[in-house]
Amino acid sequence: MTALTSTLVDMCSAGAGRVWLEQCLAMPQWAQMAQYRTRYRALQNTLDEVNHRLAQGQDCHLCVLTPDAIRSLQARWPDRIDAHYLGHFPVPHGQFTEYAVAAVRPHPDKHDPEAQTAWTLACDLARYLCSPSQPAMRQALGFAEVP
């Protein structure tokens, strides 16, 4: 399905977050909201990519990383990173890693409406990914609730 808008939401995710992110982006309510550019890499490569993009003034509206990686981004970019919790990613996927979702504020020099729209969509998507109303879907994809 084609997005009804030209808004581009740019995302970076550790590879294990891919399955939940892609499931959500395929849903009609998200597919019609924007165009999405996603990059999936190993955890450290994703963290490096987000840091690089922010240092270069490039867009990265949303990222999925471990809570420690999100905290390191918040320490370096305190005015740009907002975190929302996702959950553990356990067996059958052979991992027991917690993931967090962070919405990334636009560069302070970007005042155009498109940047604000992308930021708003990234925040909405982050809240949806972490929503307490979605535990059954997350569990089906391997994300366990926090004990």
Side-chain angles (χ1 to χ4, degrees):
M1 183 172 293
T2 320
L4 299 177
T5 178
S6 62
T7 300
L8 177 63
V9 178
D10 207 327
M11 298 175 281
C12 294
S13 174
R18 180 181 199 146
V19 65
W20 179 227
L21 193 53
E22 286 187 352
Q23 288 284 324
C24 291
L25 294 178
M27 295 175 182
Q29 69 264 33
W30 295 108
Q32 295 177 9
M33 295 297 286
Q35 296 177 35
Y36 302 96
R37 180 175 27 208
T38 53
R39 293 171 184 82
Y40 302 104
R41 296 194 170 111
L43 176 62
Q44 187 60 51
N45 292 343
T46 301
L47 178 59
D48 292 345
E49 173 77 13
V50 174
N51 272 312
H52 174 76
R53 295 183 72 71
L54 294 177
Q56 298 296 317
Q58 298 172 351
D59 290 327
C60 178
H61 302 106
L62 187 134
C63 60
V64 179
L65 294 161
T66 63
D68 285 343
I70 298 291
R71 282 190 286 277
S72 77
L73 286 172
Q74 287 174 316
R76 184 168 180 198
W77 309 98
D79 59 335
R80 307 259 331 257
I81 306 294
D82 290 335
H84 308 281
Y85 182 72
L86 181 54
H88 296 288
F89 198 68
V91 292
H93 307 284
Q95 300 182 46
F96 192 74
T97 305
E98 287 182 63
Y99 284 88
V101 176
V104 183
R105 294 182 187 280
H107 190 278
D109 294 340
K110 287 192 174 181
H111 302 289
D112 62 283
E114 193 74 18
Q116 187 59 45
T117 300
W119 158 250
T120 301
L121 285 171
C123 288
D124 290 347
L125 180 57
R127 281 189 285 277
Y128 183 81
L129 290 167
C130 301
S131 172
S133 68
Q134 301 300 321
M137 282 186 69
R138 283 194 300 272
Q139 286 176 343
L141 295 171
F143 285 96
E145 296 304 310
V146 177

